[in-house]
Amino acid sequence: MARLQSDRFPLKAPLLAGLGVAAALIAGVAALTWLAGGPAPTVSASADINGQPDVLASAEIASEHEAGPAPFSDAQTEEVSLPGVRDTADALSPQEASPSSLSPAEPVAPPAPLEGFYETGPGGPLPIINASGVRPDQAYAMDFDGAADVPTVSIIVGGLGLSESLTARAIEALPAEVTLSFAPYADDLQTWINRARADGHEVLLELPMEPFDYPNNDPGPHTLLVDASATENARRLAWLLSRTAGYVGVANYLGARLGAAEGPLTELFTALEARGLSIFHDGAGRRAILSQAGRQANARMTIADRVVDSDPTPRAIDGRLLELEALALQNGTALGSGFAYPATVDTVAAWADGLEGRGYQLAPASFLMQLRNPVETRSASAAQDTADAASPSADPHGDTH
């Protein structure tokens, strides 16, 4: 029986002896290290990446005599960041940008107002048709080399000027062909508009109009009202229009109740046409009444086909933009309006990037207006007659001033 056990484990004794020697050596090294007061042994991994110091990672085995983490190497002086991490952090951080901090290298358009296209109003320059019959919606339109036979989509993004960060984001992120619409109550409004025009954007001025639930839902001071007198609405309109200069036309802000009142709406459209301004309406109201008021005023007016962000989610916005493509293919033109939500800005910018490859053109609002309501149908003399009718001398009651 003992013979069998010895044959089965012939290396047992040598292995035990070897382990004993190794243990003795380890104990000796540890004793020498302790007596010498040296540091505990460190296990580390290092790599040289693009010439950086070879301290990529280090983990120290702490001894019972040391406390606290091991310090990083002093040689690591540069911040290490993965590509895109800093950009993402900056994008998520709240940043406010003033109009003066945005300076294009080569401005596309000069600052407004242009000489000959304004008169003095209660708050600043009021737009007028110039002595040669050129309208402000022509003078302030951006050059666009588009074709009339290509399906055309225009987008108006509004609500700008009240938030500095959203306004700066819209100006910089959206293609120049997207028209930007500004609230009349914004601080530094002229600076913002000059900045947007310098980047190539056409701009509109928003007019606050009475909604059905006014005054619980109040668009702001100088709101145009259904029950206000013509004189009072004219005063309010003059204040709003003279807040800034450089816009090709106006867009409504709210206004479903006014949009359903043909009489006051016709008066408003007549006054805007007399000043040579285009009118863009988002359709809040009765479309038949809006169209009838536009015809009675002989105004350059058009109605948006879709509000692209009534559901302000990227998927829903994409769906509305696809609807605009279908309408442009069917009718030749399509107009969408939206608000400067981050989702709207990002989705519209991504959609526009591939639009030309799908056989469409993204155009400023003035180009679409020209396709729908050509200004050539009105002679220069007729335009001047309209301007004369809007002048102070032709306004015996001083309603506009």
Side-chain angles (χ1 to χ4, degrees):
M1 191 68 178
R3 175 71 178 176
L4 291 175
Q5 289 176 347
S6 176
D7 289 344
R8 190 175 299 172
F9 303 104
L11 299 178
K12 181 176 182 180
L15 285 173
L16 291 174
L19 290 173
V21 173
L25 288 174
I26 292 173
V29 171
L32 290 173
T33 302
W34 180 78
L35 291 173
T42 299
V43 178
S44 65
S46 64
D48 184 10
I49 301 177
N50 296 330
Q52 293 291 329
D54 55 353
V55 185
L56 181 63
S58 178
E60 185 173 274
I61 302 174
S63 72
E64 61 182 0
H65 302 288
E66 295 175 326
F72 287 103
S73 169
D74 292 336
Q76 188 69 37
T77 57
E78 295 185 4
E79 179 182 0
V80 178
S81 177
L82 295 175
V85 172
R86 175 55 53 195
D87 294 340
T88 302
D90 291 343
L92 293 176
S93 300
Q95 297 178 1
E96 292 292 313
S98 65
S100 59
S101 68
L102 305 172
S103 301
E106 297 180 0
V108 175
L114 299 178
E115 190 63 35
F117 289 94
Y118 68 93
E119 64 184 1
T120 303
L126 269 171
I128 60 170
I129 300 171
N130 81 351
S132 300
V134 180
R135 302 162 53 100
D137 60 6
Q138 295 172 292
Y140 293 118
M142 291 298 174
D143 291 334
F144 179 72
D145 188 18
D149 57 351
V150 175
T152 301
V153 182
S154 292
I155 302 290
I156 298 171
V157 173
L160 296 172
L162 300 178
S163 166
E164 293 182 353
S165 58
L166 289 180
T167 304
R169 183 175 184 175
I171 291 173
E172 294 181 336
L174 290 170
E177 292 80 11
V178 173
T179 299
L180 304 181
S181 184
F182 287 81
Y185 311 119
D187 294 331
D188 296 321
L189 182 55
Q190 190 64 62
T191 306
W192 277 122
I193 285 183
N194 287 341
R195 178 64 181 87
R197 283 173 39 79
D199 266 22
H201 295 279
E202 283 184 353
V203 297
L204 302 176
L205 181 68
E206 294 177 358
L207 300 182
M209 300 182 183
E210 182 180 358
F212 279 116
D213 52 353
Y214 180 86
N216 292 331
N217 185 9
D218 189 349
H222 302 276
T223 294
L224 302 168
L225 303 173
V226 172
D227 296 327
S229 66
T231 300
E232 178 59 24
N233 270 342
R235 262 194 212 101
R236 292 175 178 229
L237 180 63
W239 185 91
L240 293 164
L241 294 180
S242 63
R243 288 283 293 144
T244 188
Y247 48 91
V248 299
V250 299
N252 65 297
Y253 175 63
L254 299 180
R257 183 166 187 250
L258 183 59
E262 184 175 336
L265 200 62
T266 300
E267 293 174 353
L268 171 63
F269 287 174
T270 300
L272 292 169
E273 173 61 25
R275 295 195 173 276
L277 298 172
S278 294
I279 305 165
F280 298 87
H281 203 284
D282 66 6
R286 299 179 184 176
R287 298 179 73 91
I289 291 179
L290 289 166
S291 298
Q292 177 63 20
R295 286 191 295 269
Q296 289 183 357
N298 196 23
R300 297 192 79 201
M301 192 274 293
T302 193
I303 304 174
D305 300 294
R306 293 290 186 275
V307 177
V308 299
D309 53 5
S310 52
D311 178 357
T313 60
R315 183 174 181 177
I317 295 169
D318 265 329
R320 289 301 178 95
L321 293 172
L322 290 176
E323 291 176 16
L324 290 176
E325 290 186 24
L327 289 171
L329 194 62
Q330 176 182 341
N331 303 324
T333 63
L335 175 61
S337 65
F339 186 80
Y341 301 115
T344 303
V345 172
D346 293 343
T347 305
V348 169
W351 163 81
D353 190 48
L355 191 62
E356 185 177 355
R358 298 193 296 274
Y360 300 85
Q361 63 184 359
L362 181 64
S366 66
F367 184 83
L368 178 139
M369 180 66 81
Q370 179 67 13
L371 294 177
R372 291 184 174 183
N373 299 283
V375 75
E376 287 81 4
T377 58
R378 295 170 54 81
S379 66
S381 60
Q384 186 57 49
D385 291 342
T386 304
D388 292 341
S391 66
S393 60
D395 183 10
H397 303 290
D399 291 349
T400 309
H401 305 290

